[in-house]
Amino acid sequence: MIVDHSVRHGHHTGDIDWTAMAAHLELEGEVLLSYVIETVERVANLCRQDEVEVRRILDVGCGPGVATCELARHFDTAKVVAVDGSDALLE
């Protein structure tokens, strides 16, 4: 069975100007950065405490990559991959 995700969830119809939204989303990410840092630090500390070696991180729906950068900073030995459906946001 094939489900057309854009039909089922009307908000994914591709009518958003992601180039125009990129600056807004980046600013929003920077405004919320303290929460992102706190969360990533907490997860990184838990991994160290439990001796979990994080080698790969996949940030799906990364937007402009604000959180992706924090993940890369706190997990400096991991390969961090950013994935988004918008080329404009990945730029």
Coordinates of all heavy atoms in Angstrom, one line a residue:
M1 N 0.8 -1.2 0.0 CA 0.0 0.0 0.0 C 0.9 1.2 0.0 O 1.8 1.4 0.8 CB -0.9 0.0 1.2 CG -1.7 1.2 1.4 SD -2.7 0.9 2.9 CE -3.3 2.5 3.2
I2 N 0.6 2.1 -0.9 CA 1.4 3.4 -1.0 C 0.5 4.5 -0.5 O -0.6 4.7 -0.9 CB 1.8 3.7 -2.4 CG1 2.7 2.5 -2.9 CG2 2.5 5.0 -2.5 CD1 3.1 2.6 -4.4
V3 N 1.1 5.3 0.5 CA 0.4 6.4 1.0 C 1.1 7.7 0.6 O 2.3 7.8 0.8 CB 0.3 6.3 2.6 CG1 -0.3 7.6 3.2 CG2 -0.4 5.1 3.0
D4 N 0.3 8.6 0.0 CA 0.9 9.9 -0.4 C 0.8 10.8 0.8 O -0.2 11.3 1.2 CB 0.0 10.5 -1.5 CG 0.6 11.8 -2.0 OD1 1.5 12.4 -1.3 OD2 0.2 12.2 -3.1
H5 N 2.0 11.0 1.5 CA 2.1 11.7 2.7 C 1.6 13.1 2.6 O 1.0 13.7 3.5 CB 3.5 11.7 3.2 CG 3.7 12.3 4.6 ND1 3.3 11.7 5.7 CD2 4.2 13.5 4.9 CE1 3.6 12.4 6.7 NE2 4.2 13.5 6.3
S6 N 1.8 13.8 1.4 CA 1.4 15.2 1.3 C -0.2 15.3 1.2 O -0.7 16.3 1.6 CB 2.0 15.7 0.0 OG 1.5 15.1 -1.2
V7 N -0.8 14.3 0.7 CA -2.3 14.3 0.7 C -2.9 14.1 2.1 O -3.8 14.8 2.5 CB -2.8 13.3 -0.3 CG1 -4.4 13.2 -0.2 CG2 -2.4 13.6 -1.7
R8 N -2.3 13.2 2.8 CA -2.8 12.8 4.1 C -2.6 14.0 5.1 O -3.4 14.2 6.0 CB -2.1 11.6 4.6 CG -2.8 10.8 5.6 CD -2.0 9.6 6.0 NE -0.8 10.0 6.5 CZ 0.0 9.3 7.3 NH1 -0.3 8.0 7.5 NH2 1.1 9.7 7.7
H9 N -1.5 14.7 5.0 CA -1.2 15.8 5.8 C -1.0 17.1 5.0 O 0.1 17.4 4.5 CB 0.2 15.6 6.6 CG 0.1 14.4 7.5 ND1 -0.5 14.4 8.7 CD2 0.7 13.2 7.3 CE1 -0.3 13.2 9.3 NE2 0.4 12.4 8.4
G10 N -2.1 17.7 4.7 CA -2.1 18.8 3.8 C -1.0 19.9 3.9 O -0.8 20.6 3.0
H11 N -0.4 20.0 5.1 CA 0.6 21.0 5.3 C 2.0 20.7 4.6 O 2.8 21.5 4.6 CB 0.9 21.3 6.8 CG 1.4 20.1 7.5 ND1 0.5 19.1 8.0 CD2 2.6 19.7 7.9 CE1 1.3 18.2 8.6 NE2 2.5 18.5 8.6
H12 N 2.1 19.6 4.0 CA 3.4 19.2 3.3 C 3.2 19.3 1.8 O 3.6 18.4 1.0 CB 3.8 17.8 3.7 CG 4.2 17.6 5.1 ND1 5.4 18.2 5.5 CD2 3.6 17.0 6.1 CE1 5.5 17.9 6.8 NE2 4.5 17.2 7.2
T13 N 2.6 20.3 1.3 CA 2.2 20.4 -0.1 C 3.3 21.1 -0.9 O 3.2 21.2 -2.1 CB 0.9 21.2 -0.3 OG1 1.0 22.5 0.3 CG2 -0.2 20.4 0.3
G14 N 4.4 21.6 -0.3 CA 5.5 22.2 -1.1 C 5.2 23.6 -1.4 O 5.9 24.2 -2.3
D15 N 4.2 24.3 -0.9 CA 3.9 25.7 -1.2 C 4.6 26.7 -0.3 O 4.3 27.9 -0.3 CB 2.4 25.9 -1.2 CG 1.8 25.6 0.2 OD1 2.5 24.9 1.0 OD2 0.6 25.9 0.4
I16 N 5.6 26.2 0.4 CA 6.4 27.1 1.3 C 7.6 27.6 0.6 O 8.3 26.8 0.0 CB 6.7 26.4 2.7 CG1 5.4 26.1 3.4 CG2 7.6 27.3 3.5 CD1 5.7 25.2 4.6
D17 N 7.9 28.9 0.7 CA 9.2 29.4 0.2 C 10.3 29.2 1.2 O 10.5 30.0 2.1 CB 9.0 30.9 -0.1 CG 10.2 31.5 -0.7 OD1 11.3 30.8 -0.8 OD2 10.2 32.7 -1.1
W18 N 11.0 28.1 1.1 CA 12.0 27.7 2.1 C 13.2 28.6 2.1 O 13.8 28.8 3.2 CB 12.4 26.3 2.0 CG 11.3 25.3 2.4 CD1 10.6 24.5 1.5 CD2 10.8 25.1 3.7 NE1 9.7 23.8 2.3 CE2 9.8 24.2 3.6 CE3 11.1 25.6 4.9 CZ2 9.0 23.7 4.7 CZ3 10.4 25.2 6.0 CH2 9.4 24.3 5.9
T19 N 13.4 29.3 1.0 CA 14.5 30.2 1.0 C 14.2 31.4 1.9 O 15.1 31.9 2.6 CB 14.8 30.7 -0.5 OG1 15.1 29.5 -1.3 CG2 15.9 31.7 -0.6
A20 N 13.0 31.9 1.8 CA 12.6 33.0 2.6 C 12.5 32.6 4.1 O 12.7 33.4 5.0 CB 11.2 33.5 2.1
M21 N 12.1 31.3 4.3 CA 11.9 30.9 5.7 C 13.3 30.6 6.4 O 13.3 30.5 7.6 CB 11.1 29.6 5.7 CG 9.6 29.8 5.6 SD 8.9 30.7 7.0 CE 8.9 29.4 8.2
A22 N 14.3 30.3 5.6 CA 15.6 29.9 6.2 C 16.1 30.9 7.2 O 16.5 30.5 8.3 CB 16.6 29.7 5.1
A23 N 16.1 32.2 6.9 CA 16.6 33.2 7.9 C 15.8 33.2 9.1 O 16.3 33.3 10.2 CB 16.7 34.5 7.2
H24 N 14.5 33.1 9.0 CA 13.6 33.1 10.1 C 13.8 31.9 11.0 O 13.9 32.0 12.2 CB 12.1 33.1 9.6 CG 11.1 32.9 10.7 ND1 10.8 33.8 11.6 CD2 10.4 31.8 11.1 CE1 9.9 33.3 12.5 NE2 9.7 32.1 12.2
L25 N 14.0 30.7 10.4 CA 14.2 29.5 11.2 C 15.6 29.5 11.9 O 15.7 29.0 13.0 CB 14.1 28.3 10.3 CG 12.6 28.0 9.8 CD1 12.7 26.9 8.7 CD2 11.7 27.6 10.9
E26 N 16.6 30.1 11.2 CA 17.9 30.2 11.8 C 17.8 31.1 13.0 O 18.4 30.8 14.1 CB 18.9 30.7 10.8 CG 20.3 30.6 11.3 CD 21.3 30.9 10.3 OE1 21.0 30.7 9.1 OE2 22.4 31.3 10.6
L27 N 17.1 32.2 12.9 CA 17.0 33.2 14.0 C 16.2 32.5 15.2 O 16.6 32.6 16.3 CB 16.2 34.4 13.6 CG 16.0 35.5 14.7 CD1 17.3 36.0 15.3 CD2 15.2 36.6 14.1
E28 N 15.1 31.8 14.8 CA 14.4 31.1 15.8 C 15.2 30.0 16.6 O 15.2 29.9 17.8 CB 13.2 30.4 15.2 CG 12.3 29.6 16.1 CD 11.2 28.9 15.4 OE1 11.4 28.0 14.7 OE2 10.0 29.4 15.6
G29 N 16.1 29.3 15.8 CA 17.0 28.4 16.4 C 18.0 29.0 17.4 O 18.3 28.5 18.4
E30 N 18.5 30.2 17.0 CA 19.4 30.9 17.8 C 18.7 31.5 19.1 O 19.3 31.5 20.2 CB 20.1 32.1 17.1 CG 21.0 31.5 16.0 CD 21.6 32.6 15.1 OE1 21.3 33.8 15.3 OE2 22.3 32.2 14.1
V31 N 17.5 31.9 19.0 CA 16.7 32.3 20.1 C 16.5 31.2 21.1 O 16.6 31.4 22.3 CB 15.3 32.9 19.7 CG1 14.4 33.2 20.9 CG2 15.6 34.3 19.0
L32 N 16.3 30.0 20.6 CA 16.0 28.8 21.5 C 17.3 28.1 21.8 O 17.2 27.0 22.3 CB 15.0 27.9 20.8 CG 13.6 28.5 20.5 CD1 12.8 27.6 19.7 CD2 12.9 28.9 21.8
L33 N 18.4 28.6 21.4 CA 19.7 27.9 21.5 C 20.0 27.4 22.9 O 20.6 26.3 23.1 CB 20.8 28.8 20.9 CG 22.2 28.1 20.8 CD1 22.1 26.9 19.9 CD2 23.2 29.1 20.3
S34 N 19.7 28.2 23.9 CA 20.0 27.8 25.3 C 19.3 26.5 25.6 O 19.9 25.6 26.3 CB 19.7 28.9 26.3 OG 18.3 29.1 26.3
Y35 N 18.1 26.3 25.1 CA 17.4 25.0 25.4 C 18.0 23.9 24.6 O 18.1 22.8 25.2 CB 15.9 25.2 25.0 CG 15.2 26.2 25.8 CD1 14.8 27.4 25.2 CD2 14.9 26.1 27.1 CE1 14.1 28.4 25.9 CE2 14.2 27.0 27.8 CZ 13.8 28.2 27.2 OH 13.2 29.2 27.9
V36 N 18.4 24.1 23.4 CA 19.1 23.1 22.6 C 20.4 22.7 23.3 O 20.7 21.5 23.4 CB 19.3 23.6 21.2 CG1 20.2 22.6 20.4 CG2 18.0 23.9 20.5
I37 N 21.2 23.7 23.7 CA 22.5 23.4 24.4 C 22.2 22.6 25.6 O 22.9 21.6 25.9 CB 23.2 24.7 24.7 CG1 23.7 25.3 23.3 CG2 24.4 24.4 25.6 CD1 24.3 26.7 23.5
E38 N 21.3 23.0 26.4 CA 21.0 22.3 27.7 C 20.6 20.8 27.4 O 21.1 19.9 28.1 CB 19.9 23.0 28.5 CG 19.5 22.3 29.8 CD 18.4 23.0 30.5 OE1 18.1 24.2 30.2 OE2 17.8 22.4 31.3
T39 N 19.8 20.6 26.4 CA 19.3 19.3 26.1 C 20.5 18.4 25.6 O 20.7 17.3 26.0 CB 18.2 19.3 25.1 OG1 17.1 20.1 25.7 CG2 17.7 17.9 24.8
V40 N 21.2 19.0 24.7 CA 22.4 18.2 24.1 C 23.4 17.9 25.1 O 23.9 16.8 25.2 CB 23.0 18.9 22.9 CG1 24.2 18.3 22.4 CG2 21.9 19.0 21.7
E41 N 23.7 18.9 26.0 CA 24.7 18.6 27.1 C 24.2 17.5 28.0 O 25.0 16.7 28.4 CB 24.9 19.9 27.9 CG 25.8 20.9 27.2 CD 25.9 22.2 28.0 OE1 25.2 22.4 29.0 OE2 26.8 23.0 27.6
R42 N 22.9 17.5 28.3 CA 22.3 16.5 29.2 C 22.5 15.1 28.6 O 22.9 14.2 29.3 CB 20.9 16.8 29.5 CG 20.3 16.1 30.7 CD 18.9 16.6 31.0 NE 19.0 17.8 31.8 CZ 17.9 18.5 32.2 NH1 16.7 18.1 31.8 NH2 18.1 19.6 32.9
V43 N 22.1 15.0 27.3 CA 22.3 13.7 26.6 C 23.7 13.3 26.5 O 24.1 12.1 26.8 CB 21.6 13.8 25.2 CG1 21.9 12.5 24.4 CG2 20.1 14.0 25.3
A44 N 24.6 14.2 26.2 CA 26.0 13.9 26.1 C 26.6 13.4 27.5 O 27.3 12.4 27.6 CB 26.8 15.1 25.7
N45 N 26.2 14.1 28.6 CA 26.6 13.7 29.9 C 26.1 12.3 30.2 O 26.8 11.5 30.9 CB 26.2 14.7 30.9 CG 27.0 16.0 30.9 OD1 28.1 16.0 30.4 ND2 26.4 17.0 31.3
L46 N 24.8 12.0 29.9 CA 24.2 10.7 30.1 C 25.0 9.6 29.4 O 25.3 8.5 29.9 CB 22.8 10.6 29.8 CG 21.8 11.3 30.7 CD1 20.4 11.4 30.1 CD2 21.8 10.6 32.1
C47 N 25.4 9.9 28.1 CA 26.1 8.9 27.3 C 27.5 8.7 28.0 O 27.9 7.5 28.1 CB 26.3 9.4 25.9 SG 24.8 9.4 25.0
R48 N 28.2 9.7 28.4 CA 29.5 9.5 29.1 C 29.3 8.8 30.4 O 30.1 7.9 30.6 CB 30.1 10.9 29.4 CG 30.8 11.5 28.1 CD 31.7 12.7 28.5 NE 31.3 14.0 28.6 CZ 30.5 14.7 27.8 NH1 29.9 14.1 26.8 NH2 30.2 16.0 28.0
Q49 N 28.3 9.1 31.1 CA 28.1 8.4 32.4 C 27.8 6.9 32.2 O 28.3 6.1 33.0 CB 26.8 9.1 33.1 CG 26.4 8.4 34.3 CD 25.1 9.0 34.8 OE1 24.9 10.2 34.7 NE2 24.2 8.2 35.4
D50 N 27.1 6.6 31.2 CA 26.8 5.2 30.9 C 27.8 4.5 29.9 O 27.6 3.4 29.5 CB 25.4 5.1 30.3 CG 24.3 5.4 31.2 OD1 24.5 5.5 32.5 OD2 23.1 5.7 30.8
E51 N 28.8 5.3 29.6 CA 29.9 4.8 28.8 C 29.4 4.3 27.4 O 29.8 3.3 26.9 CB 30.7 3.7 29.5 CG 31.4 4.1 30.7 CD 32.2 3.0 31.4 OE1 32.3 1.9 30.9 OE2 32.7 3.3 32.5
V52 N 28.5 5.1 26.9 CA 28.0 4.9 25.5 C 28.8 5.7 24.5 O 28.9 6.9 24.7 CB 26.5 5.3 25.4 CG1 26.0 5.2 24.0 CG2 25.6 4.5 26.4
E53 N 29.4 5.0 23.6 CA 30.2 5.7 22.6 C 29.3 6.0 21.4 O 28.8 5.1 20.7 CB 31.3 4.8 22.1 CG 32.2 5.4 21.0 CD 33.2 4.5 20.4 OE1 33.3 3.3 20.9 OE2 33.9 4.9 19.5
V54 N 29.1 7.3 21.2 CA 28.2 7.7 20.1 C 29.1 8.0 18.9 O 30.0 8.8 18.9 CB 27.5 9.0 20.4 CG1 26.6 9.5 19.3 CG2 26.6 8.8 21.7
R55 N 28.9 7.2 17.8 CA 29.7 7.3 16.6 C 29.0 7.9 15.5 O 29.6 8.5 14.6 CB 30.2 5.9 16.2 CG 31.2 5.3 17.2 CD 31.6 4.0 16.8 NE 30.6 3.0 17.2 CZ 30.5 1.8 16.8 NH1 31.3 1.3 15.9 NH2 29.5 1.0 17.2
R56 N 27.7 7.9 15.5 CA 26.9 8.5 14.4 C 25.6 9.1 14.9 O 25.0 8.6 15.8 CB 26.5 7.4 13.4 CG 27.6 6.9 12.5 CD 27.0 5.9 11.6 NE 26.7 4.7 12.3 CZ 27.5 3.6 12.3 NH1 28.5 3.5 11.5 NH2 27.2 2.5 13.0
I57 N 25.3 10.3 14.4 CA 24.1 11.0 14.7 C 23.4 11.4 13.4 O 24.1 12.0 12.6 CB 24.4 12.3 15.6 CG1 25.0 11.9 16.9 CG2 23.1 13.1 15.8 CD1 25.5 13.0 17.8
L58 N 22.1 11.2 13.3 CA 21.4 11.6 12.1 C 20.3 12.6 12.6 O 19.4 12.2 13.4 CB 20.7 10.4 11.5 CG 19.8 10.6 10.3 CD1 20.6 11.3 9.2 CD2 19.2 9.3 9.8
D59 N 20.4 13.8 12.1 CA 19.5 14.9 12.5 C 18.5 15.0 11.3 O 18.8 15.7 10.3 CB 20.2 16.2 12.7 CG 19.3 17.3 13.3 OD1 18.1 17.0 13.4 OD2 19.8 18.4 13.5
V60 N 17.4 14.3 11.4 CA 16.4 14.3 10.4 C 15.4 15.5 10.5 O 14.9 15.8 11.6 CB 15.5 13.0 10.4 CG1 14.4 13.1 9.4 CG2 16.4 11.8 10.2
G61 N 15.3 16.3 9.5 CA 14.5 17.5 9.6 C 15.3 18.6 10.3 O 14.8 19.4 11.1
C62 N 16.5 18.7 9.9 CA 17.5 19.6 10.6 C 17.2 21.1 10.4 O 17.8 21.9 11.2 CB 18.9 19.2 10.2 SG 19.2 19.6 8.5
G63 N 16.4 21.4 9.4 CA 16.3 22.9 9.2 C 17.6 23.5 8.8 O 18.4 22.9 8.1
P64 N 17.9 24.7 9.4 CA 19.1 25.4 9.0 C 20.3 24.8 9.8 O 21.4 25.3 9.6 CB 18.9 26.8 9.4 CG 17.8 26.7 10.5 CD 17.0 25.5 10.1
G65 N 20.1 23.8 10.6 CA 21.3 23.1 11.3 C 21.8 23.7 12.6 O 22.9 23.4 13.0
V66 N 21.0 24.5 13.2 CA 21.4 25.1 14.5 C 21.7 24.0 15.5 O 22.7 23.9 16.2 CB 20.4 26.1 15.0 CG1 20.8 26.6 16.4 CG2 20.2 27.3 14.1
A67 N 20.7 23.1 15.7 CA 20.9 22.0 16.6 C 21.9 21.0 16.2 O 22.7 20.5 17.0 CB 19.5 21.3 16.9
T68 N 22.0 20.8 14.9 CA 23.0 19.9 14.3 C 24.4 20.4 14.7 O 25.3 19.5 15.1 CB 23.0 19.9 12.8 OG1 21.6 19.7 12.4 CG2 23.8 18.8 12.2
C69 N 24.7 21.7 14.7 CA 26.0 22.2 15.1 C 26.3 21.9 16.5 O 27.4 21.6 16.9 CB 26.1 23.7 14.8 SG 26.1 24.1 13.0
E70 N 25.3 22.0 17.4 CA 25.5 21.7 18.8 C 25.8 20.2 19.0 O 26.6 19.9 19.8 CB 24.3 22.2 19.6 CG 24.2 23.7 19.8 CD 25.5 24.2 20.4 OE1 26.0 23.7 21.4 OE2 26.0 25.2 19.8
L71 N 25.1 19.4 18.3 CA 25.3 18.0 18.4 C 26.7 17.7 18.0 O 27.4 16.9 18.6 CB 24.3 17.2 17.5 CG 22.9 17.1 18.0 CD1 21.9 16.7 16.8 CD2 22.8 16.2 19.2
A72 N 27.2 18.3 16.9 CA 28.6 18.0 16.4 C 29.6 18.6 17.5 O 30.6 18.0 17.7 CB 28.8 18.7 15.1
R73 N 29.3 19.7 18.1 CA 30.2 20.2 19.1 C 30.3 19.4 20.3 O 31.4 19.2 20.9 CB 29.7 21.6 19.5 CG 30.7 22.4 20.3 CD 30.3 23.9 20.4 NE 29.1 24.2 21.1 CZ 29.1 24.3 22.5 NH1 30.2 24.3 23.2 NH2 28.0 24.6 23.1
H74 N 29.2 18.8 20.8 CA 29.2 18.0 22.0 C 29.6 16.5 21.8 O 29.9 15.9 22.7 CB 27.8 18.1 22.7 CG 27.6 19.4 23.4 ND1 27.2 20.5 22.8 CD2 27.9 19.8 24.7 CE1 27.1 21.5 23.6 NE2 27.6 21.1 24.8
F75 N 29.4 16.1 20.6 CA 29.8 14.7 20.2 C 30.8 14.8 19.1 O 30.7 14.4 18.0 CB 28.6 13.9 19.7 CG 27.5 13.7 20.8 CD1 26.4 14.6 20.9 CD2 27.6 12.6 21.6 CE1 25.5 14.3 21.9 CE2 26.6 12.4 22.6 CZ 25.6 13.2 22.7
D76 N 32.0 15.3 19.5 CA 33.0 15.7 18.5 C 33.7 14.5 17.9 O 34.3 14.7 16.8 CB 34.1 16.6 19.2 CG 34.8 16.0 20.4 OD1 34.2 15.0 21.0 OD2 35.8 16.5 20.8
T77 N 33.5 13.3 18.4 CA 34.1 12.1 17.7 C 33.0 11.4 16.8 O 33.4 10.5 16.2 CB 34.7 11.1 18.7 OG1 33.6 10.7 19.6 CG2 35.8 11.8 19.5
A78 N 31.8 11.9 16.9 CA 30.7 11.3 16.1 C 30.7 11.9 14.7 O 31.0 13.1 14.5 CB 29.4 11.4 16.8
K79 N 30.2 11.1 13.7 CA 29.9 11.6 12.4 C 28.4 12.1 12.5 O 27.5 11.3 12.8 CB 30.0 10.5 11.4 CG 29.7 11.0 10.0 CD 29.9 9.9 8.9 CE 29.5 10.5 7.6 NZ 29.8 9.5 6.6
V80 N 28.2 13.4 12.3 CA 26.9 14.0 12.4 C 26.4 14.3 11.0 O 27.1 15.0 10.2 CB 26.9 15.3 13.2 CG1 25.5 15.9 13.3 CG2 27.4 15.0 14.6
V81 N 25.2 13.8 10.6 CA 24.7 14.0 9.3 C 23.4 14.7 9.4 O 22.5 14.4 10.2 CB 24.4 12.6 8.6 CG1 23.7 12.8 7.2 CG2 25.7 11.8 8.5
A82 N 23.3 15.8 8.7 CA 22.1 16.7 8.7 C 21.2 16.3 7.4 O 21.8 16.3 6.3 CB 22.5 18.1 8.7
V83 N 19.9 16.1 7.6 CA 19.0 15.8 6.5 C 17.8 16.6 6.6 O 17.2 16.8 7.7 CB 18.6 14.3 6.6 CG1 17.6 13.9 5.5 CG2 19.8 13.4 6.6
D84 N 17.4 17.2 5.5 CA 16.2 18.0 5.4 C 15.7 17.9 4.0 O 16.4 17.7 3.1 CB 16.5 19.5 5.8 CG 15.2 20.2 6.2 OD1 14.4 20.6 5.3 OD2 15.0 20.4 7.4
G85 N 14.4 18.1 3.9 CA 13.7 18.0 2.6 C 13.9 19.3 1.7 O 13.5 19.3 0.6
S86 N 14.4 20.3 2.3 CA 14.6 21.6 1.6 C 16.1 21.9 1.4 O 16.8 22.0 2.3 CB 14.0 22.7 2.5 OG 14.4 24.0 2.0
D87 N 16.4 22.0 0.1 CA 17.8 22.4 -0.3 C 18.1 23.7 0.3 O 19.3 24.0 0.7 CB 18.0 22.4 -1.8 CG 17.9 21.0 -2.4 OD1 18.2 20.0 -1.7 OD2 17.6 20.9 -3.6
A88 N 17.2 24.7 0.3 CA 17.4 26.0 0.8 C 17.8 26.0 2.3 O 18.7 26.8 2.7 CB 16.2 26.9 0.6
L89 N 17.2 25.1 3.1 CA 17.6 25.0 4.5 C 18.9 24.4 4.7 O 19.7 24.7 5.6 CB 16.5 24.3 5.3 CG 15.1 25.0 5.4 CD1 14.2 24.2 6.2 CD2 15.3 26.4 6.0
L90 N 19.2 23.4 3.9 CA 20.5 22.8 4.0 C 21.7 23.7 3.6 O 22.8 23.5 4.1 CB 20.6 21.5 3.1 CG 19.7 20.4 3.6 CD1 19.7 19.2 2.6 CD2 20.2 19.8 4.9
E91 N 21.4 24.7 2.7 CA 22.5 25.6 2.4 C 22.9 26.4 3.6 O 24.0 26.8 3.8 CB 22.0 26.6 1.3 CG 22.1 26.1 -0.1 CD 21.7 27.1 -1.1 OE1 22.0 28.3 -0.9 OE2 21.1 26.7 -2.1

